[in-house]
């Protein structure tokens, strides 16, 4: 990624949230998610309070509501799954708008929707205020398994390369008059996917050999170290601390 190029999830800014070290934000989001998961599903007001806390963070980070909504589309499959649970669930049933719904299923759907939505919103805020490379640096600082961090690092670095390769292959197909209109074109698309896999695999082998020739021994050097002060840790952990206080009041 060249200078001036930002990931599509990241919103450049100079807010206090943007300036926090990535390891602080990572731990804060994880702790917040754990508190949300531990909250009894019957405590409706607690989930409203968590949403208000995230709204405060979004306001402090100057992340527009429209950006949050667009990025939370990833949650749609979970929403659809949750909406099916009351229909196919067992146990006591009630009628809502002419539909016979399972009471335990309704509780399960609410539990999934509330907690998943809050978790996704917190993750979107993290992505909007932290560049992906900095997230990986934060993961290194938190002593996450080095191999997993390296895999994520290479995936992030070469995802754009592979996507560009896929776009070039699509343009090449279309320049030859190909249009995927129906199932009869599936073999062509499948061959393209196979070719893309082979090219990506060969590229990975070349990159690995180049790394070995430069002294790679299984560990990546930390090119940029980001330390955090006590004050920065306190600022970041204010979110899960407030959430924990809400949880304590709800029990």
């Amino acid at each position: 990624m060249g200078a001036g190029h930002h990931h599509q999830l990241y919103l450049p800014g100079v807010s206090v949230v943007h300036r926090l070290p990535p390891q602080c934000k990572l731990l804060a989001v994880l702790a917040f998610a754990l508190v949300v998961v531990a909250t009894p599903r019957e405590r409706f007001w607690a989930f409203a309070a968590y949403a208000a806390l995230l709204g405060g963070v979004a306001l402090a980070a100057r992340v527009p509501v429209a950006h949050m909504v667009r990025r939370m589309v990833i949650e749609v499959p979970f929403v659809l799954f949750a909406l099916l649970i009351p229909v196919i669930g067992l146990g006591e049933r009630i009628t809502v708008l002419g539909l016979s719904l399972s009471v335990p299923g309704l509780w399960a759907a609410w539990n999934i929707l509330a907690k998943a939505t809050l978790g996704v919103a917190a993750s979107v805020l993290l992505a909007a205020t932290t560049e992906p490379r900095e997230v990986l640096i934060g993961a290194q600082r938190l002593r996450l398994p080095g191999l997993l961090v390296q895999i994520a690092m290479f995936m992030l670095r070469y995802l754009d390369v592979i996507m560009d390769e896929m776009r070039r292959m699509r343009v090449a197909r279309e320049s030859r008059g190909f249009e995927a209109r129906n199932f009869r074109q599936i073999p062509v698309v499948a061959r393209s996917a196979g070719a893309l896999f082979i090219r990506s695999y060969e590229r990975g082998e070349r990159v690995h050999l180049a790394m070995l020739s430069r002294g790679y021994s299984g560990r990546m050097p930390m090119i940029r170290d980001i330390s955090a002060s006590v004050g920065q840790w306190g600022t970041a952990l204010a979110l899960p601390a407030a959430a924990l206080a809400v949880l304590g009041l709800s029990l």
Side-chain angles (χ1 to χ4, degrees):
M1 295 182 182
H5 175 75
H6 298 289
H7 194 275
Q8 60 181 352
L9 295 178
Y10 176 70
L11 284 179
V14 293
S15 70
V16 63
V17 183
H18 283 81
R19 294 195 301 269
L20 286 173
Q23 61 268 31
C24 300
K25 289 184 276 189
L26 271 173
L27 191 59
V29 168
L30 176 61
F32 176 80
L34 290 176
V35 172
V36 170
V37 170
T39 304
R41 62 189 183 184
E42 297 84 3
R43 305 298 190 265
F44 298 106
W45 70 269
F47 293 107
Y50 298 151
L53 289 174
L54 289 180
V57 174
L59 188 64
R62 299 184 180 90
V63 177
V65 175
H67 177 86
M68 294 283 296
V69 173
R70 285 197 304 271
R71 300 311 177 196
M72 289 181 67
V73 172
I74 192 175
E75 191 192 7
V76 169
F78 297 97
V79 173
L80 295 177
F81 171 74
L83 293 178
L84 283 175
I85 295 177
V87 178
I88 62 177
L90 303 176
E92 180 187 352
R93 305 189 75 83
I94 60 172
T95 301
V96 179
L97 299 178
L99 293 175
S100 177
L101 303 178
S102 165
V103 173
L106 286 171
W107 278 113
W110 156 252
N111 194 46
I112 292 173
L113 284 175
K115 296 179 179 181
T117 300
L118 289 169
V120 170
S123 300
V124 169
L125 282 174
L126 173 65
T129 58
T130 316
E131 290 197 70
R133 287 174 293 180
E134 290 193 351
V135 172
L136 296 175
I137 293 173
Q140 285 182 309
R141 291 288 302 179
L142 292 175
R143 300 293 188 269
L144 266 64
L147 185 59
L148 292 180
V149 175
Q150 288 184 48
I151 291 173
M153 188 180 300
F154 286 119
M155 181 184 72
L156 173 65
R157 185 174 182 84
Y158 291 103
L159 183 61
D160 288 339
V161 175
I162 294 173
M163 294 297 291
D164 287 339
E165 184 77 27
M166 187 168 64
R167 279 191 288 268
R168 286 194 295 269
M169 293 174 68
R170 186 197 64 199
V171 170
R173 290 195 305 269
E174 292 176 351
S175 66
R176 292 169 173 80
F178 174 81
E179 291 185 20
R181 292 182 176 179
N182 52 52
F183 291 107
R184 287 180 295 179
Q185 276 78 39
I186 287 180
V188 178
V189 177
R191 284 194 292 271
S192 298
L196 179 64
F197 172 78
I198 293 173
R199 292 181 186 182
S200 303
Y201 186 83
E202 291 176 343
R203 187 190 299 274
E205 283 189 324
R206 292 196 298 271
V207 170
H208 185 243
L209 290 174
M211 291 170 58
L212 292 176
S213 68
R214 288 165 174 78
Y216 175 73
S217 59
R219 295 188 62 184
M220 294 290 290
M222 187 176 289
I223 299 175
R224 181 185 174 200
D225 191 12
I226 303 177
S227 58
S229 66
V230 175
Q232 289 172 322
W233 276 112
T235 301
L237 295 179
L239 172 65
L244 186 62
V246 171
L247 174 60
L249 292 174
S250 69
L251 296 179

